[in-house]
Amino acid sequence: MVSTEKPDLILLDIKMPGMTGLEVLEKLNKAESRPEVIMVSGHTDTKFVVESMQLGAAEFVEKPFDVKEVENRIRLVLDRARLRRENAELKKEIQSKAGYGSFIGDSVR
């Protein structure tokens, strides 16, 4: 579904039927266009938080959660992702202009 829908962000619960959120997160890391991930869990064991962050989760939200807090975190994560994309694009643009490109010259020496 991620490969066809290409979401910008996924709220992913640690405990799910069939596959854990951590397993899904590992699979997402192999995706061509990886969405941002906010992990959600009622289990605030530090182990889950650390493993989620090591696997690339942008945030970890404890259940039950305040909807406004989650909205703010979503905004924050999407803003950071946008800034990273813009930064990468600007770097690419600067690198393309920093080279000699199609330098043409004529010299008697």
Side-chain angles (χ1 to χ4, degrees):
M1 190 170 157
V2 170
S3 61
T4 57
E5 298 296 323
K6 298 193 184 336
D8 293 324
L9 181 128
I10 295 175
L11 292 175
L12 186 58
D13 202 323
I14 293 245
K15 299 283 184 176
M16 301 186 305
M19 185 182 291
T20 70
L22 295 173
E23 291 170 326
V24 173
L25 187 53
E26 283 185 86
K27 289 183 181 287
L28 287 172
N29 286 334
K30 297 172 186 165
E32 183 178 316
S33 134
R34 185 193 178 285
E36 295 295 322
V37 175
I38 296 177
M39 295 300 289
V40 179
S41 181
H43 306 280
T44 57
D45 186 344
T46 306
K47 177 185 110 177
F48 291 129
V49 177
V50 170
E51 192 170 352
S52 296
M53 301 313 255
Q54 287 175 336
L55 289 171
E59 291 282 335
F60 190 97
V61 177
E62 180 182 341
K63 289 194 288 186
F65 53 78
D66 176 55
V67 173
K68 289 290 181 193
E69 176 190 351
V70 173
E71 287 174 350
N72 288 334
R73 291 204 191 185
I74 288 171
R75 236 179 264 106
L76 176 74
V77 168
L78 292 176
D79 284 346
R80 281 191 309 222
R82 178 185 52 79
L83 288 172
R84 277 194 305 274
R85 277 192 312 275
E86 287 176 5
N87 190 12
E89 289 170 10
L90 288 171
K91 281 182 179 180
K92 198 182 294 184
E93 186 177 328
I94 288 169
Q95 288 173 346
S96 71
K97 291 181 180 181
Y100 291 108
S102 56
F103 185 81
I104 300 174
D106 190 15
S107 175
V108 292
R109 293 186 176 181

